Amino acid sequence: GVTRRRSVTAVFVVLVLVVLGAGLAGCTKAGDFPSDAMAVVGQNIITQAQFDARLAEIEKQYPGRVPTKDGDPAAYKEFQTLILNYLVEVGVVQQEAVNMNISVTDEEVQAQIDGIKQWYMGDDAQFEAALKEQNLTLDVLKRSLREQEINREVFEEVTKDDTVSADHGQAYFDSHQEEFTLPETRLARHILFMPKNTTDPSATATEADWASALALADKVRKEIVDGADFGEKAKQYSDDPGSRDLGGDLGVVERGRMVPEFEEATFALKKFDISQPVKTQFGYHLIQVTDITESKVQPLEDVKEQITQILLEQEQRKLWDAWLAKVKAELGVQYK
């Protein structure tokens, strides 16, 4: 079918794209820095071998989607920095999780694995094939799920007291009107006259076939203008199987969903007028708009929860970044 099963990797943070913090903290004053270390996080060391292994994992999981050393050296350097920053902040969060009495058990991780397996109807062979296809091992998936869950629980603890005031919500609404503007929509129906090669239906339609389709569209349009029922004519003549039996009904249409010629004609029509034949790659269309809903700004009351969520996420991110910077300083994070 057209829908694709979600990838196994969709369940956890994509390390290349989402990091815990905004950027690398400045190095603390280095003491005796271990020779094989890329970074020191409190009592923990991120070794060159650990860093190289994680880097190789991600390159293997996302071939063609992350920078390469030879392809773009500058972007590759940034990519390496991103991965190191992730590993540092995973170390920070895991150490602080202990102080907060937060832990993730093997059983909790296994429950998440079992949930993922349900996407594959509980079939272990399909699940393992999906892991292999994405260059993932079960151990790597479990570690990623564990990291994500610990991060989520620590994040919730750090940001649990964040709130958003009503005044702040009103101010955001007033300055972001375009985000809460509903576009104009129309109820429309159409009749499609598809050009057909009468001698060989599988052959490409000729200019004469297009001319015949146009002539039929003109004829039917005149009948409708003279009083014939649009819906009945759609059932009789339309070559669009998706709408024909519905009297040509397309339901609610909005901009950006149709081919340009059809859209332009639909949004230029007055209510109940019948368009002249409109040519698209499919054939000629007769279009009628039966209702118009004008563009309008949604009331604040309707979008209050959405605004609160937007602002809460912004405030939580600020609090989280400040907390990370503070804890990094307290732990004495050092980089090579």
Side-chain angles (χ1 to χ4, degrees):
V2 294
T3 56
R4 294 182 63 190
R5 190 184 300 279
R6 284 181 292 175
S7 69
V8 173
T9 52
V11 299
F12 61 83
V13 177
V14 178
L15 308 187
V16 180
L17 302 177
V18 182
V19 268
L20 302 181
L24 284 170
C27 300
T28 58
K29 187 177 285 187
D32 296 328
F33 200 83
S35 60
D36 65 338
M38 290 291 287
V40 176
V41 184
Q43 301 302 309
N44 295 345
I45 295 173
I46 298 170
T47 66
Q48 181 76 50
Q50 288 170 332
F51 171 76
D52 289 344
R54 184 67 70 103
L55 189 65
E57 269 179 24
I58 294 170
E59 288 174 325
K60 195 175 178 184
Q61 287 168 32
Y62 303 98
R65 293 164 56 190
V66 296
T68 59
K69 190 172 185 178
D70 297 330
D72 190 340
Y76 188 72
K77 186 74 175 173
E78 290 181 13
F79 169 59
Q80 288 179 303
T81 302
L82 191 67
I83 302 310
L84 180 58
N85 195 33
Y86 178 82
L87 292 175
V88 166
E89 291 178 353
V90 163
V92 168
V93 169
Q94 288 178 342
Q95 289 184 60
E96 287 303 300
V98 174
N99 297 332
M100 295 175 177
N101 293 319
I102 290 172
S103 62
V104 177
T105 66
D106 292 343
E107 289 75 18
E108 289 172 315
V109 173
Q110 187 57 48
Q112 292 197 49
I113 296 289
D114 292 341
I116 296 168
K117 284 183 179 181
Q118 292 309 305
W119 300 350
Y120 302 92
M121 308 303 289
D123 186 325
D124 284 349
Q126 280 193 43
F127 172 68
E128 287 163 13
L131 287 175
K132 188 175 181 181
E133 183 184 345
Q134 293 165 67
N135 294 311
L136 266 172
T137 66
L138 185 58
D139 285 343
V140 168
L141 178 59
K142 284 182 176 179
R143 185 200 62 212
S144 298
L145 290 169
R146 187 183 299 275
E147 286 176 358
Q148 175 183 288
E149 183 60 19
I150 288 176
N151 177 58
R152 187 188 66 77
E153 292 187 25
V154 172
F155 182 91
E156 286 186 355
E157 178 64 24
V158 169
T159 62
K160 65 183 179 183
D161 296 325
D162 252 357
T163 58
V164 175
S165 72
D167 288 346
H168 199 175
Q170 179 71 58
Y172 186 91
F173 177 76
D174 292 341
S175 59
H176 293 78
Q177 294 281 289
E178 71 286 349
E179 289 183 26
F180 308 109
T181 299
L182 295 173
E184 176 187 343
T185 60
R186 296 182 166 217
L187 281 177
R189 53 184 179 174
H190 81 137
I191 305 172
L192 171 63
F193 301 88
M194 193 180 292
K196 304 178 189 71
N197 189 312
T198 52
T199 56
D200 182 2
S202 64
T204 303
T206 65
E207 285 188 26
D209 298 326
W210 278 89
S212 295
L214 176 58
L216 181 57
D218 283 329
K219 171 182 173 292
V220 174
R221 182 181 187 279
K222 185 176 186 307
E223 292 174 359
I224 295 170
V225 170
D226 287 343
D229 182 82
F230 189 103
E232 291 305 315
K233 291 297 177 182
K235 291 176 183 177
Q236 182 180 352
Y237 287 105
S238 184
D239 293 312
D240 175 16
S243 69
R244 179 178 55 228
D245 294 340
L246 300 173
D249 184 25
L250 294 170
V252 176
V253 296
E254 59 184 77
R255 295 186 188 276
R257 299 291 181 87
M258 302 165 289
V259 293
E261 305 93 334
F262 192 98
E263 177 181 296
E264 184 179 346
T266 301
F267 281 86
L269 279 172
K270 292 178 181 177
K271 194 172 176 179
F272 298 127
D273 282 359
I274 309 297
S275 73
Q276 295 294 331
V278 176
K279 186 179 182 181
T280 71
Q281 73 254 41
F282 305 109
Y284 287 97
H285 307 255
L286 296 180
I287 307 168
Q288 184 183 45
V289 171
T290 58
D291 197 17
I292 298 173
T293 302
E294 301 289 351
S295 172
K296 68 172 184 177
V297 178
Q298 296 170 274
L300 174 59
E301 196 61 36
D302 291 355
V303 296
K304 190 181 291 182
E305 288 186 17
Q306 182 183 343
I307 290 173
T308 298
Q309 189 58 37
I310 291 170
L311 294 175
L312 186 60
E313 288 174 4
Q314 289 178 358
E315 292 304 312
Q316 287 176 334
R317 172 55 63 180
K318 288 178 189 173
L319 191 60
W320 177 253
D321 289 344
W323 177 84
L324 271 175
K326 171 175 165 287
V327 175
K328 281 180 180 179
E330 290 171 351
L331 285 174
V333 173
Q334 300 176 44
Y335 296 89
K336 184 174 180 179

